[in-house]
Amino acid sequence: MITASELKSLEKYLDGVWAKLNIDIEFSKHFIERANDERNKKPIEVEELKKLFMDVYKKYGKKFSNMKLNDDEIEGILTDLSTKINSPFVMRWDRKTKEFELVSKTVMRKDKFVSNNPTKEKRYTVEELQMTQVSELIESLAEKNVVESSKILHSIMLDRVALAISEKKMDVVANMFESKDEDDDDDKKKKSEDDDDDDDDKEDDKKKFNFMKKKEDQNKKIDESVSSAELAKLEKEYDKLQDIMDKVTDKGGNYKNTSTYKKSQEIYNKIKAARQDK
């Protein structure tokens, strides 16, 4: 059972990590109730929650931090295929703190979790083969328990297939189920040589792409770089524009089609690029 103190400590730890992306992590009041709910069957542990948010940070962190300023709320689901833990969340821009706020609304351990609103809620999936699965498999093989070993392998395979499908990596799925029965050794050798050639071509293309991307990023940084004094000036101007839009909102108006809004976005992008350079 997760205590309020443990969840608070986890939130503080995650805030320290995600702060690098200007994102604040929060758990709703309902979160801890659902985390300790009997419907999870196997109790959810703090370490499992930590793993989920750290894996999402590594895989999707930059994507989350690039959410456009003043966008409407973004809803989604964080899913760890290895633990079956799902956490629907909402993410929005906090104009007072000037940072993104990722609020985990609830959490549950459920296999093949389906969203109530799949068109609006995008799924962000992570997966990692757990040591518990590996240990169980080794133990079953040592005992020559073929049936149990088969079940564990089947579970691992399904997890990996689900992950590949969710990321639209159909070639990975195809490779998982590719027949291992070749007609003869010559065909195997030829296929291996063809694959090696393809891999070499892909590696060359990848190196060229990385070189061009690096050069493009360097040029972009040079173009967008600003001094500390200019950055302070931009931040001051941005604050003034925010105050103007706040007044429009207070009067019931819509600022999104105004020149003030467009200008604030341009200044924000310059500020963001300058901070990344530093």
Side-chain angles (χ1 to χ4, degrees):
M1 182 175 177
I2 298 174
T3 66
S5 175
E6 288 174 331
L7 192 63
K8 192 70 179 176
S9 296
L10 175 63
E11 185 178 318
K12 186 176 180 180
Y13 172 82
L14 294 174
D15 278 341
V17 176
W18 285 73
K20 299 170 187 175
L21 300 175
N22 199 31
I23 297 175
D24 177 52
I25 302 295
E26 287 190 21
F27 298 114
S28 71
K29 292 181 180 178
H30 173 68
F31 187 93
I32 192 169
E33 294 175 9
R34 190 61 179 84
N36 294 323
D37 197 298
E38 291 181 355
R39 286 175 290 176
N40 294 321
K41 295 182 180 179
K42 179 184 175 183
I44 293 176
E45 299 176 3
V46 172
E47 284 302 315
E48 291 179 310
L49 295 177
K50 181 180 178 181
K51 175 186 178 303
L52 170 64
F53 280 89
M54 291 304 296
D55 286 353
V56 170
Y57 171 82
K58 293 171 187 175
K59 189 172 181 180
Y60 300 107
K62 287 186 179 179
K63 188 173 184 179
F64 281 8
S65 67
N66 288 331
M67 186 178 79
K68 292 182 181 178
L69 179 67
N70 292 324
D71 265 358
D72 292 331
E73 291 182 345
I74 289 181
E75 294 185 48
I77 301 169
L78 308 181
T79 297
D80 188 338
L81 292 176
S82 65
T83 60
K84 313 294 188 228
I85 290 179
N86 306 274
S87 181
F89 71 91
V90 60
M91 186 169 170
R92 51 180 170 257
W93 173 254
D94 189 325
R95 293 171 64 185
K96 291 184 179 179
T97 61
K98 294 179 183 176
E99 63 182 358
F100 294 113
E101 189 178 70
L102 193 158
V103 181
S104 282
K105 299 184 287 185
T106 186
V107 66
M108 66 213 67
R109 191 192 301 280
K110 188 174 183 181
D111 193 13
K112 299 175 184 177
F113 174 75
V114 179
S115 165
N116 292 328
N117 193 354
T119 56
K120 189 176 180 181
E121 293 184 327
K122 183 177 179 180
R123 188 181 296 273
Y124 297 90
T125 306
V126 294
E127 182 243 14
E128 180 180 308
L129 186 61
Q130 290 185 296
M131 288 311 297
T132 51
Q133 288 179 303
V134 176
S135 299
E136 288 171 2
L137 180 59
I138 293 172
E139 191 174 321
S140 296
L141 289 171
E143 295 175 356
K144 298 182 179 180
N145 190 332
V146 178
V147 175
E148 190 59 29
S149 299
S150 177
K151 285 181 181 179
I152 296 170
L153 283 169
H154 182 64
S155 174
I156 294 171
M157 177 64 80
L158 286 179
D159 283 352
R160 294 185 180 280
V161 170
L163 177 65
I165 291 174
S166 70
E167 296 181 347
K168 298 181 181 178
K169 295 181 178 178
M170 301 312 294
D171 56 328
V172 177
V173 179
N175 288 337
M176 289 179 182
F177 295 96
E178 184 177 80
S179 173
K180 303 300 179 186
D181 299 324
E182 299 293 337
D183 292 333
D184 51 59
D185 291 335
D186 290 334
D187 288 341
K188 286 183 180 179
K189 186 176 179 181
K190 186 178 183 303
K191 184 176 184 301
S192 177
E193 290 172 350
D194 291 339
D195 287 343
D196 288 340
D197 291 337
D198 289 340
D199 288 339
D200 290 339
D201 291 338
K202 288 179 181 177
E203 188 63 26
D204 289 339
D205 290 340
K206 186 177 179 181
K207 287 179 180 177
K208 289 177 184 177
F209 174 82
N210 288 338
F211 174 79
M212 295 302 293
K213 185 73 170 62
K214 187 176 181 181
K215 193 172 182 180
E216 182 182 335
D217 290 341
Q218 287 174 341
N219 292 335
K220 188 176 180 181
K221 283 185 178 180
I222 292 171
D223 293 338
E224 293 182 344
S225 62
V226 295
S227 67
S228 298
E230 289 173 323
L231 178 59
K233 188 177 179 181
L234 286 171
E235 289 176 337
K236 191 172 181 180
E237 187 175 356
Y238 176 76
D239 287 339
K240 287 182 180 179
L241 294 173
Q242 290 291 306
D243 290 337
I244 293 172
M245 289 188 288
D246 284 339
K247 290 177 182 178
V248 173
T249 304
D250 291 340
K251 292 179 180 180
N254 185 355
Y255 59 80
K256 286 202 171 183
N257 294 324
T258 65
S259 58
T260 302
Y261 170 70
K262 293 178 182 177
K263 190 173 181 180
S264 72
Q265 283 192 310
E266 292 173 1
I267 293 175
Y268 172 76
N269 289 332
K270 288 181 181 179
I271 292 173
K272 188 174 182 180
R275 284 175 177 168
Q276 288 175 345
D277 288 345
K278 297 180 184 305

